[in-house]
């Protein structure tokens, strides 16, 4: 039986389409592999990261790893440098000697340094996981000096130094990759250039805002069973009652009766969020209130609000510390004052 010529034409088109689909599928699969950062710049483990330092022309960021009974966290310090504009030269007339007026050379202005301290728990640990091991989107290889400007490495954005247990690694951060989301970077140990995820650079360049810990506790409110409120020589025990999704605070003597006053006050306390941290406890601090929380497995944490001496506004500054934040963090005065004013209604 003779086969029609059109049959072979259609067969050939089918084969060609199949081959094209395989090529496209393979290419997309390769692109996906690159997108998940499959190239290793250096090895390591997040728990081996002891210090992360970022240095640029305008700032220095240092993250120090710490560990206590509640887990691993980082204490960060940012030094941001700003140079004020140079003063205009003044005419200096030496009338006594008949000298002509002349301009004094302008003095070089001293950079102003602003230091910020912060605590980072989730953000710091996530950054450590991204840095050890450090994965790249792709490897560019070694480049000649005359090509450094193509990758922003002739005038780099900054340097990241990672101290690992047993060694130190350094990465020079260059310009943005096409699209602007990621960065070129050079491993100083090998001279290799890579394209890395831009989150690492952005986290460090704006560390005091992106990495600062604002969550007060690891646990959620629904995990609590009891609380103890302590204000001066007064204290009160509270219980957490109600169905899932409808939990409320109550007095142990009437656990089925919702206490609106206590619930509103506890909500105000929970709304306090640090805007900045201090390296040492405030001088002349007075404890406003301390709340100790209990969960199904026992004690889970605390929140302590203290009042310091008057700040720049003329009003006392308020600071909050919890088991998660570790350091005292300055909190908004308005909400803190409400918590202080209403505590008397809770621990009558």
């Amino acid at each position: 039986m003779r086969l029609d010529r059109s049959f072979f034409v259609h067969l050939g088109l089918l084969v060609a389409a199949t081959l094209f689909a395989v090529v496209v599928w393979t290419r997309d699969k390769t692109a996906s592999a690159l997108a998940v950062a499959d190239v290793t710049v250096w090895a390591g483990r997040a728990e081996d990261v002891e210090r992360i330092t970022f240095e640029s022309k305008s700032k220095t960021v240092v993250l120090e790893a710490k560990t206590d009974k509640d887990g691993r966290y980082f204490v960060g310090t940012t030094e941001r440098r700003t140079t004020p504009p140079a003063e205009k030269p003044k005419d200096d007339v030496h009338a006594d000697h008949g000298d002509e007026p002349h301009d004094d050379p302008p003095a070089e202005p001293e950079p102003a340094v602003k230091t910020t301290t912060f605590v980072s728990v989730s953000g710091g640990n996530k950054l450590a996981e991204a840095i050890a091991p450090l994965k790249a989107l792709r490897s560019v290889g070694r480049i000649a000096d005359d090509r450094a400007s193509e990758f922003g490495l002739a005038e780099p954005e900054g340097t990241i130094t990672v101290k690992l247990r047993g060694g130190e690694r350094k990465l020079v951060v260059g310009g943005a990759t096409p699209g602007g989301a990621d960065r070129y970077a050079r491993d100083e140990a090998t001279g290799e250039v890579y394209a890395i995820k831009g989150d690492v650079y952005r986290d460090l360049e704006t560390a005091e805002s992106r990495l600062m810990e604002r969550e007060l506790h690891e646990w959620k409110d629904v995990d609590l069973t009891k609380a103890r409120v302590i204000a001066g020589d007064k204290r009160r025990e509270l219980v957490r009652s109600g169905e899932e999704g409808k939990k409320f605070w109550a007095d142990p003597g009437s656990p089925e009766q919702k206490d609106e006053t206590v619930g509103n006050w506890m909500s105000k306390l929970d709304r306090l969020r640090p805007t900045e941290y201090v390296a040492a406890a405030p001088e002349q601090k007075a404890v406003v209130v301390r709340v100790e929380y209990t969960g199904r497995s026992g004690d889970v944490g605390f929140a302590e609000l203290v009042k310091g001496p008057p700040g720049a506004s003329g009003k006392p500054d308020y600071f909050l510390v919890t088991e998660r934040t570790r350091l005292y963090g300055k909190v908004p005065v308005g909400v803190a004052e409400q918590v202080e004013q209403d505590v008397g209604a809770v621990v009558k």
Side-chain angles (χ1 to χ4, degrees):
M1 181 176 68
R2 288 182 66 184
L3 295 176
D4 191 89
R5 179 181 298 177
S6 64
F7 170 79
F8 293 101
V9 172
H10 285 88
L11 181 61
L13 290 174
L14 177 62
V15 171
T18 302
L19 290 173
F20 179 74
V22 170
V23 170
V24 170
W25 179 81
T26 305
R27 183 189 63 193
D28 289 346
K29 188 176 180 181
T30 303
S32 298
L34 289 175
V36 296
D38 232 6
V39 181
T40 300
V41 180
W42 61 61
R45 300 181 306 168
E47 53 267 35
D48 292 336
V49 175
E50 298 177 354
R51 185 190 303 118
I52 304 169
T53 305
F54 172 74
E55 294 181 273
S56 68
K57 293 179 180 178
S58 62
K59 73 187 309 181
T60 299
V61 178
V62 179
L63 287 167
E64 293 277 357
K66 308 282 185 181
T67 303
D68 61 13
K69 63 181 181 61
D70 293 307
R72 185 173 166 86
Y73 65 101
F74 289 80
V75 174
T77 304
T78 298
E79 290 185 355
R80 185 178 289 275
R81 298 176 288 276
T82 56
T83 303
E87 295 183 4
K88 294 182 179 179
K90 297 180 181 179
D91 292 338
D92 183 16
V93 181
H94 301 277
D96 294 342
H97 298 85
D99 294 341
E100 292 294 326
H102 64 273
D103 293 339
D104 289 332
E108 287 292 331
E110 289 290 330
V113 179
K114 180 182 178 182
T115 302
T116 303
T117 300
F118 60 94
V119 174
S120 185
V121 184
S122 57
N125 282 302
K126 185 177 178 182
L127 177 63
E129 290 171 2
I131 281 181
L134 179 63
K135 298 283 188 176
L137 297 171
R138 63 183 182 276
S139 173
V140 177
R142 296 188 180 186
I143 60 171
D145 292 342
D146 58 1
R147 294 191 61 205
S149 58
E150 295 178 29
F151 302 92
L153 291 167
E155 296 182 6
E157 297 289 340
T159 301
I160 300 172
T161 304
V162 182
K163 183 182 179 184
L164 297 161
R165 195 172 300 159
E168 191 173 89
R169 303 303 298 259
K170 185 175 288 188
L171 196 70
V172 177
V173 182
T177 61
D182 303 310
R183 290 273 165 175
Y184 290 114
R186 182 178 63 234
D187 179 8
E188 287 291 82
T190 64
E192 296 281 333
V193 175
Y194 301 89
I196 64 170
K197 289 185 177 181
D199 289 342
V200 171
Y201 168 75
R202 287 188 290 272
D203 281 350
L204 289 167
E205 209 280 328
T206 55
E208 63 270 36
S209 59
R210 287 175 67 99
L211 297 181
M212 181 183 291
E213 190 58 53
R214 292 184 172 85
E215 291 298 320
L216 303 182
H217 310 286
E218 181 77 25
W219 40 265
K220 302 299 180 185
D221 189 62
V222 294
D223 300 327
L224 299 176
T225 58
K226 298 178 183 178
R228 181 184 300 110
V229 182
I230 306 168
D233 58 355
K234 297 180 180 179
R235 62 180 56 206
R236 183 180 177 185
E237 303 289 335
L238 302 171
V239 295
R240 195 73 169 144
S241 300
E243 302 174 358
E244 291 296 330
K246 297 181 180 180
K247 294 284 188 179
F248 56 84
W249 288 106
D251 191 88
S254 51
E256 300 306 318
Q257 183 178 344
K258 181 179 181 180
D259 191 318
E260 295 280 0
T261 300
V262 170
N264 291 336
W265 184 84
M266 293 287 271
S267 294
K268 288 178 183 178
L269 180 67
D270 190 55
R271 285 204 302 272
L272 292 173
R273 290 292 185 274
T275 57
E276 60 180 283
Y277 286 87
V278 291
E283 295 182 4
Q284 305 172 7
K285 72 178 188 296
V287 178
V288 174
V289 67
R290 178 182 173 92
V291 180
E292 297 171 347
Y293 301 97
T294 302
R296 296 180 183 89
S297 59
D299 293 340
V300 294
F302 69 93
E304 184 175 278
L305 179 66
V306 304
K307 181 164 62 174
S313 66
K315 291 185 174 183
D317 286 326
Y318 289 82
F319 302 85
L320 187 75
V321 62
T322 73
E323 81 289 341
R324 181 176 175 85
T325 64
R326 276 87 167 185
L327 299 183
Y328 284 93
K330 188 180 290 187
V331 293
V333 172
V335 181
E337 284 180 334
Q338 292 179 30
V339 171
E340 182 180 24
Q341 290 165 5
D342 298 342
V343 70
V346 177
V347 291
K348 354 176 185 177

